[in-house]
């Protein structure tokens, strides 16, 4: 069988994880990568065992052998590059956010539809086996009517005032930080499992550390200079470390979530509880193989991911027997498996239902982020205004 | 040593738990109880081994031997009876809420101060050993600056539409239900451990079950009638099952909490996470002996309550070695121990700092509840307006 | 109602916990205590609010008002004092072990039966609400046939070589330490829940710290002397810190347990797992309100103690709604409640089945300990040889 | 860079997991597979995207392009095939057990050394990131002196009498079942983390289900026949479902473990606790990313796998930031990464220390299993008698 050929743009942290996930499939081949210079590209290609190296991604877009492109660049480049990928007629997996605001993401969505390519945005948390199983459970009425959804996404990597990173600069990371980076994952995951859309929000944002200290000699990381002598400059911060958001879903049910990047001890804790008219569930990404199921009239349950205990619809998302835990890399693998199976099987997004997030979900995510920012600024409930094309 | 003599008004669920907690102390004696009729009082007194039985609590208020009265009646009677207790010159422990609104609670607070009695409201959760220890930890800077507080108080006893109870009737339970009953405990506990006051709120309330079914023949509980034949009448419900509340503390820091009485599998889950500039903590009343402590630069900790590992200030709140877990009854015992030690040692609230919640805390609680209701009605941030006497 | 009058011998750590537990009942009165001198007795009686103080326990045994005696003395005094209590015709609750070997405990059992008093040994862990519920579950076939039992009882209070205590001296604590002190609790609890008896053992014992350091000036605890200057003498230790024991039950099923007093971080972790032909359970005394229930064909369960979810037989062992956790003090209260209700209701051990451990259980416990010591010495499987009177 | 070429023998459950793990590396290529017939091989090769398919593994052993062979066949074929692989001069990864008894495994070890190939046995649990970190912690004295090791390996896939599988037949699975299949993993993992060897054992084995029911029409799995009509034949079972084993390590320290394949609710629970003179640890393979660390003088810790919190020696075993949990597939990937890096870097087992289990470990494992069987038969402590070549 001819393998599907793929090219990767950007090989920072996330690019290589895409490559490794793709390789697990067996029917897809990473044929090329693009970096910001030919030298960087050659070095990475050798390191990662990839045949073709491009110093300019535009050249890779012209490679007729390559059918699919992964956009793994920093946020501020997403829009422009996604646009070029689509115009080149390649299928695309973009890292989120799709763009810098909802107007841009709407443009991308319209263009992708016109070009009839397969498009995906890497909302990987919906690909955890337990999340796929929960989606099936809720879809078949396992919780009764879903009434309430509440949770949070907490990290600690920006806890200290000396923590500094490109994501803190609005011109690179975007005008929203905690909401766009991690709140977007929470909303996508919750919308996926419940099958509901967030339609209105009220938010409270805070920049817990309004001034941060940026190391002045960051370039000489490996100098023998003592840490104590490190000099810093004060950088005012304009994006939020924290947000709490009250939400309303399209069926009138309620929810609330909190995001924070300054919560010591929480590394990547995306969690939520859903209260239905019959049962509840709780899931925490730091223990992704467990699903707590709450009951009023019998003991609560903890379902450890296990194909023999999963809904039939979710069995294809889990690849090992119970007790052989899968984790974050396996969710990413599932994302790739679902996306590339869709392509291999000749499906298209007009006629077939994908089991991955598309640019439609990516656009909706941007609309929610924009509504959250607007609500905070106006101190009012704000409706999420997605393009009419979404769900059309 | 002469024991302190105590009288109890109301012997439903909570009254007997007070009695048992008092008896553990050894230096306090439950001398009398009052019920709604002499017959009921005699029966309960015999059952509980209490010498004096009063068919009218007013008679007990005249008993000169009795120095302290516990008000364990339903909510709508709290104000009137608390007032009479104070006017009789007795010390008082009242169940919460102190009254039906903040004007009433302010009147009680002023009267109690004038009469110079010792007054307490039974916010028992701050009396858990781990909570006392956390209060000491935060007070000595163990978490650094407290930036964020988030959590919830979830129950499931009103999950089904056939669940019915006097608390659902506003004229008996009050105009707020979930917020007043359980939200008040969350706010008190969080304010106690952080040493901060909630000064502004924005809320979203919902009555998840707007109509409930009340059994029509509730009086004939023990009839042989089949459950399936049970007849119900539809009762419209006006009080909230659910609320999510954004809060601001007096130092500008933020928080959010959710309350629900319709969350299957959650029996009495009061929980919160606090994120400080150095460390975080998480506590859950369903596992009250554990305190999770989160760190950025080292492994997270789980502190199982243990006198040898507690702050010196908190050691008097724990009475057994590590691994001999204390629970809900022990928190109530601590409440009684702190209150009666205060009285035994001849202290007074003008000069001495109590280690229990007073009518000041009870009044503040009512002010927060009233602000939450007002915010929901006006869809705006509302300031908590406590009497100027509070914290005076 | 006339209250049952009780006297306590010994008021170290465990005596006052008995007193507090008794007082919670309401129908029993602690009328007296005995200490090693009149001065010590008077001081303790004042402190604990007890009317009568005896400088010699023999005088308390002559007090006709007192019907029940609690033996809360150190191990080496148990036999002699228990004997005198029985001969005085009083009912008795003894701390475990009943005596120093199985011949002594057999003598006590025979004597207690002859005198027709009510006798109990304080195996308190079987009184936890969740353990009572598990006993009912297994009794009604909830796990199927019980095939395997495995677990441990781990503590860390003797971890360091400078940890020293009277229990380390064989002439006071007895010839077995970890097995007798904590292994006995494990065996009693497991035998209670399964309804099986341990009939054969193979053991491996170790004294992890064969020499300990005893502080030479322990009497001047409050001297200003620096810790670093503390002088120690080396004391050889002959009793075990650790044991692992293979066991066989009377129906041929198997088990194994480990005890250790040198396991850092384990404070009082008595735990066991039981594997039945249908389901499994796991219980850990450091989280006594939880029962894990394991299944092959459905999600595992965690049952948080809750009267509405308990077996009807176990409901009297739990006194608060779900989520209002009871702990170690409540198990002790249950012990007292069951024992004193038995007496109050005029029951006797010849005709009525007690819901507490009696001297029969105490004797059986000594037989198991003796068999474990013998097995270790002979390096062979050894049968537990209980008096024929047991289970007669 | 030229990729290392690999061939796989056997493509049941474990073969494809090897293939997927290998592919993640990027510098190794699965060039061929062998199955029991050409037809089966062709089918699997197409399915898994592998270029060469062999109907006889001997032909693959002659393929000069292929440098490494994975032996993923059933137990009874391991010895013969391993021997042929070695004689063909290929490097080898064998599934465990290496052979059917310790004489055979000794022969393989000697042969592999003579041929100077790189040999590995797939003890994958030592490759979990947290296990690698624990190995480093203990090696640098983090727990003090290791005194006690206790734990278990529990599964439930053979709980019911109708559970039947080739592993139950001694001629295919071997004369030991639970001990050889899962006890071997427990021993290897514990020996790896502590750096100690098990030198003496006393065991108690049981066949909980001495007769099992084998479906008579297993071949017609997809017939429409009703389950209730399924006919079974009774098969007597001679291998153990359960074992508890007392162990002694080479430094005189003690341990004990239990294995069972009939423990409902336990899917793959390999767990152990290690008690050192300073601290303890507990690890459970069903939550592989967590390490509990127990202390006497401070709060216990739970270390969620995190490169920034790991020992420097263990950082290469973890590939994602904290909170991005790795699981069972990642441990297998680490196994492959360590093995193939060793080969890529031109190392050899005579001069270089491997970070994976070799045939030496595989032989030691067989010696322990044999000693356990002998101890049970003779009811005595039995010494583990490994070839003198081990640790030579």
């Amino acid at each position: 069988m001819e393998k599907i050929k793929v090219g990767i743009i950007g090989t920072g942290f996330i690019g290589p994880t895409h490559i490794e996930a793709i390789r697990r499939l067996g029917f897809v081949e990473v044929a090329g990568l693009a970096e910001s210079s030919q030298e960087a590209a050659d070095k990475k290609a050798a390191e990662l065992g990839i045949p073709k190296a491009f110093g300019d991604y535009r050249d890779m877009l012209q490679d007729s052998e390559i059918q699919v492109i992964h956009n793994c660049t920093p946020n501020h480049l997403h829009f422009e590059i996604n646009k070029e990928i689509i115009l080149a007629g390649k299928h695309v997996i973009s890292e989120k956010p799709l763009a810098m605001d909802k107007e841009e993401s709407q443009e991308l969505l319209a263009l992708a539809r016109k070009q009839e390519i397969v498009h995906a945005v890497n909302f990987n948390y919906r690909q955890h086996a337990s999340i796929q199983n929960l989606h099936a459970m809720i879809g078949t009425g396992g919780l009764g009517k879903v009434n309430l959804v509440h949770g949070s996404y907490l990290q600690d990597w920006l806890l200290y005032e000396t923590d500094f990173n490109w994501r803190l600069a609005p011109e690179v990371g975007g005008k929203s930080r905690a909401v766009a980076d991690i709140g977007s994952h929470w909303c996508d995951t919750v919308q996926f499992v419940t099958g509901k859309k967030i339609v209105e929000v009220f938010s409270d944002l805070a920049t817990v550390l309004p001034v941060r200290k940026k190391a002045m000699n960051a370039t000489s990381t490996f100098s023998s200079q003592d840490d104590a002598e490190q000099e810093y400059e004060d950088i005012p911060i304009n994006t939020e470390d924290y947000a709490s958001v009250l939400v309303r879903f399209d069926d009138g049910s309620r929810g609330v979530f909190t995001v924070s990047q300054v919560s010591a001890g929480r590394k990547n804790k995306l969690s939520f509880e859903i209260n239905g008219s019959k049962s509840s569930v709780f899931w925490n990404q730091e223990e992704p193989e467990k699903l707590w199921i709450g009951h009023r009239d019998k003991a609560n349950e903890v379902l450890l991911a296990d194909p023999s205990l999963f809904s039939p619809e979710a069995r294809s998302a889990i690849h090992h027997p119970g007790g052989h835990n899968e984790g974050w890399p396996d969710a990413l693998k599932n994302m790739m498996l679902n996306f590339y199976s869709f392509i291999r099987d000749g499906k298209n997004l007009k006629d077939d239902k994908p089991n991955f997030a598309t640019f439609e979900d990516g656009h909706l995510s941007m609309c929610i982020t924009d509504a959250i920012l607007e609500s905070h600024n106006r101190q009012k409930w704000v409706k999420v205004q997605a393009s009419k094309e979404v769900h059309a």
Side-chain angles (χ1 to χ4, degrees), chain A residues 161-164 212-219 230-235:
Chain A
E161 63 177 4
T162 48
D163 295 322
F164 205 84
R212 286 179 181 265
K213 296 191 173 304
K214 184 180 177 181
M216 292 185 74
N217 47 355
T219 50
Q230 178 69 60
E231 284 180 63
Y232 294 97
E233 61 177 321
D234 282 0
I235 305 285

XYZ file of all heavy atoms in Angstrom, chain A residues 161-164 212-219 230-235:
152
model
N 7.300 35.344 38.877
C 7.427 36.564 38.080
C 8.612 36.495 37.119
O 8.657 37.218 36.131
C 7.508 37.803 38.965
C 8.724 37.833 39.866
C 8.801 39.125 40.688
O 7.872 39.941 40.600
O 9.791 39.287 41.422
N 9.531 35.568 37.371
C 10.659 35.397 36.439
C 10.342 34.417 35.300
O 11.190 34.145 34.461
C 11.905 34.896 37.192
O 11.511 33.800 38.026
C 12.499 35.998 38.061
N 9.118 33.857 35.288
C 8.721 32.992 34.168
C 8.387 33.872 32.970
O 7.504 34.722 33.049
C 7.497 32.148 34.546
C 7.805 31.177 35.669
O 8.914 30.616 35.690
O 6.938 30.978 36.538
N 9.101 33.624 31.880
C 8.847 34.444 30.698
C 8.914 33.594 29.434
O 9.660 32.623 29.366
C 9.851 35.604 30.613
C 9.294 36.736 29.839
C 8.470 37.665 30.461
C 9.539 36.860 28.476
C 7.902 38.698 29.723
C 8.974 37.883 27.743
C 8.156 38.802 28.362
N 6.280 41.253 34.862
C 7.161 40.092 34.962
C 8.601 40.512 34.725
O 8.865 41.587 34.181
C 6.758 39.010 33.952
C 5.495 38.279 34.367
C 5.072 37.228 33.372
N 3.846 36.598 33.829
C 3.798 35.452 34.536
N 4.924 34.820 34.841
N 2.648 34.962 34.932
N 9.505 39.658 35.132
C 10.929 39.953 34.990
C 11.503 39.066 33.890
O 11.484 37.849 33.995
C 11.649 39.674 36.314
C 11.172 40.594 37.426
C 12.046 40.528 38.649
C 11.622 41.591 39.659
N 11.627 42.973 39.118
N 12.005 39.695 32.846
C 12.569 38.954 31.720
C 14.093 38.963 31.848
O 14.704 40.025 32.042
C 12.152 39.663 30.418
C 12.594 38.948 29.160
C 12.121 39.735 27.942
C 12.595 39.088 26.649
N 12.138 39.874 25.476
N 14.678 37.794 31.778
C 16.133 37.693 31.889
C 16.778 38.489 30.755
O 16.388 38.353 29.595
C 16.552 36.235 31.843
N 17.750 39.332 31.080
C 18.319 40.222 30.072
C 19.338 39.539 29.178
O 19.613 39.995 28.081
C 18.937 41.434 30.738
C 17.851 42.291 31.367
S 18.500 43.827 32.048
C 18.820 44.761 30.547
N 19.906 38.454 29.681
C 20.915 37.771 28.874
C 20.473 36.368 28.501
O 21.225 35.415 28.605
C 22.250 37.736 29.610
C 22.028 37.304 31.042
O 20.880 37.128 31.477
N 23.107 37.102 31.751
N 19.218 36.294 28.116
C 18.648 34.983 27.803
C 19.413 34.286 26.691
O 19.395 33.075 26.576
C 17.182 35.128 27.423
N 20.085 35.066 25.875
C 20.791 34.448 24.746
C 22.001 33.647 25.210
O 22.369 32.675 24.580
C 21.247 35.514 23.726
O 21.926 36.539 24.449
C 20.057 36.098 22.985
N 21.980 36.999 37.665
C 21.076 37.198 36.533
C 20.421 38.577 36.635
O 19.893 38.958 37.673
C 20.013 36.094 36.566
C 18.960 36.186 35.483
C 19.571 35.891 34.118
O 20.087 34.832 33.889
N 19.499 36.869 33.228
N 20.472 39.335 35.532
C 19.776 40.622 35.528
C 18.479 40.512 34.738
O 18.386 39.764 33.783
C 20.668 41.702 34.915
C 21.754 42.159 35.888
C 22.628 43.222 35.244
O 22.087 44.299 34.918
O 23.833 42.955 35.040
N 17.463 41.255 35.190
C 16.143 41.185 34.588
C 15.667 42.573 34.182
O 16.058 43.574 34.768
C 15.138 40.636 35.611
C 15.401 39.211 36.005
C 16.110 38.914 37.175
C 14.930 38.152 35.222
C 16.343 37.594 37.546
C 15.161 36.833 35.584
C 15.875 36.561 36.745
O 16.099 35.262 37.106
N 14.783 42.608 33.205
C 14.070 43.867 32.972
C 12.591 43.643 33.263
O 12.066 42.548 33.077
C 14.272 44.355 31.534
C 13.773 43.408 30.473
C 13.930 43.984 29.056
O 13.709 45.190 28.872
O 14.273 43.194 28.137
N 11.937 44.689 33.749
C 10.511 44.586 34.062
C 9.680 44.706 32.795
O 9.874 45.654 32.016
C 10.105 45.706 35.024
C 10.539 45.399 36.450
O 11.151 44.331 36.668
O 10.258 46.225 37.326
N 8.792 43.764 32.599
C 7.931 43.782 31.415
C 6.478 43.837 31.881
O 6.026 42.941 32.598
C 8.126 42.503 30.567
C 9.599 42.301 30.195
C 7.230 42.520 29.334
C 10.121 43.204 29.106
